[in-house]
């Protein structure tokens, strides 16, 4: 679910896994741990990736159809600090 929003880290993880480079794939996944944590906290990736895409200016702020609920202001603020971590941009 992260490939469209974070293509470089998603591609690195995918390529390592496809090549059977299990240690490298694990390293790539660990680099993304700051993103995996909100997925676990919010019961999946949909709401988190939607909020991330909005924060990054890739979509409008309200980008989920009803009845899906956006992250609240506190959750979005926390996610914004996660999104500033360099491992999500390389």
């Amino acid at each position: 679910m992260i490939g469209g929003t974070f293509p470089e880290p998603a591609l690195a993880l995918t390529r390592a896994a496809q090549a059977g480079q299990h240690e490298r794939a694990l390293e790539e996944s660990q680099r993304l741990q700051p993103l995996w944590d909100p997925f676990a906290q919010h019961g999946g990736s949909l709401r988190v990736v939607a909020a991330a895409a909005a924060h990054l200016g890739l979509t409008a702020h309200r980008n989920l159809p009803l009845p899906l609920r956006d992250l609240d202001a506190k959750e979005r603020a926390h996610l914004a600090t996660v999104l500033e971590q360099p491992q999500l941009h390389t």
Side-chain angles (χ1 to χ4, degrees):
M1 179 98 178
I2 67 167
T5 308
F6 304 102
E8 290 90 7
L11 185 58
L13 174 58
T14 301
R15 285 188 173 156
Q18 288 176 331
Q21 299 171 339
H22 304 291
E23 287 184 32
R24 179 72 179 150
L26 183 57
E27 290 171 7
E28 293 297 335
S29 181
Q30 288 171 341
R31 285 181 50 218
L32 294 170
Q33 191 62 48
L35 190 58
W36 302 149
D37 291 340
F39 286 9
Q41 179 184 0
H42 297 292
S45 61
L46 180 65
R47 293 173 56 226
V48 176
V49 171
H55 175 78
L56 296 170
L58 301 173
T59 66
H61 174 68
R62 300 258 181 227
N63 56 11
L64 291 174
L66 293 174
L68 299 177
R69 187 175 52 89
D70 294 327
L71 298 183
D72 66 28
K74 183 179 176 182
E75 294 165 338
R76 285 192 313 272
H78 174 59
L79 182 61
T81 64
V82 168
L83 297 176
E84 298 307 317
Q85 297 185 23
Q87 63 265 35
L88 296 178
H89 304 284
T90 59

